Amino acid sequence: MHASSEGGPALFRLVRHWARQWAPDVVERFAADAPPSWTVPNLFVIQAIDGATGDAVTVADVARQLGIDRSVASRMVAEAARDGFVVRSTSTRDARRAVLTLSEGAKEFLDTSRAHQRQAFEGLVGHWPREDRERFAGYLGRLADEVLG
């Protein structure tokens, strides 16, 4: 059993575990019958657009949300648009800028991924008492909000 003061090492052990083993097997496809366009890069773009603040989300916002170079974000957004998840329109404030919105297909993908995330969380801590699960979920949300803004 690890002491609660060992949160840092425990956090990084979990990150390494998910990056190496869990993510490639579980996150790449949410269901055996998922469309081929339901890829992790497309999901990242969808999540970035969904999580961006403001009423006119741009490629720069996606780059900032994902912590990547703008040119990489532009290619990812173009692929997500080709796959029907992102709708590009001209900004009403600046005709040189494209505004990004999510299609209904993107919302379905996002809802499915969130259901998968809830199931994964329950699979990990479902045996914990309800109060502990709720407290831990609250702490995870708080940490994500503080780190990711």
Side-chain angles (χ1 to χ4, degrees):
M1 188 61 109
H2 294 278
S4 62
S5 64
E6 292 298 313
L11 174 66
F12 281 84
R13 281 185 17 245
L14 285 170
V15 168
R16 282 192 310 274
H17 168 75
W18 283 320
R20 276 192 329 267
Q21 296 169 357
W22 198 42
D25 295 336
V26 178
V27 180
E28 193 63 35
R29 295 282 183 256
F30 299 103
D33 59 347
S37 61
W38 282 25
T39 64
V40 172
N42 279 343
L43 181 58
F44 284 171
V45 169
I46 293 166
Q47 290 173 328
I49 293 170
D50 183 65
T53 56
D55 56 351
V57 180
T58 65
V59 170
D61 295 320
V62 171
R64 194 170 25 264
Q65 285 276 326
L66 298 179
I68 58 176
D69 183 77
R70 189 176 170 148
S71 64
V72 174
S74 181
R75 286 191 297 276
M76 290 175 70
V77 166
E79 183 174 324
R82 251 189 332 272
D83 288 340
F85 297 120
V86 176
V87 177
R88 297 175 80 117
S89 57
T90 304
S91 170
T92 56
R93 284 185 249 158
D94 182 350
R96 297 169 296 176
R97 292 178 53 168
V99 175
L100 310 173
T101 55
L102 297 177
S103 69
E104 286 305 312
K107 292 172 187 172
E108 178 188 350
F109 188 8
L110 188 60
D111 289 345
T112 301
S113 72
R114 286 179 176 154
H116 174 76
Q117 292 164 353
R118 284 189 291 276
Q119 289 171 348
F121 183 80
E122 283 301 312
L124 291 169
V125 298
H127 62 284
W128 292 7
R130 183 185 54 79
E131 308 82 43
D132 288 350
R133 288 193 315 268
E134 290 174 358
R135 189 177 305 116
F136 185 55
Y139 290 147
L140 283 173
R142 177 179 164 188
L143 178 63
D145 289 346
E146 289 177 5
V147 170
L148 304 173

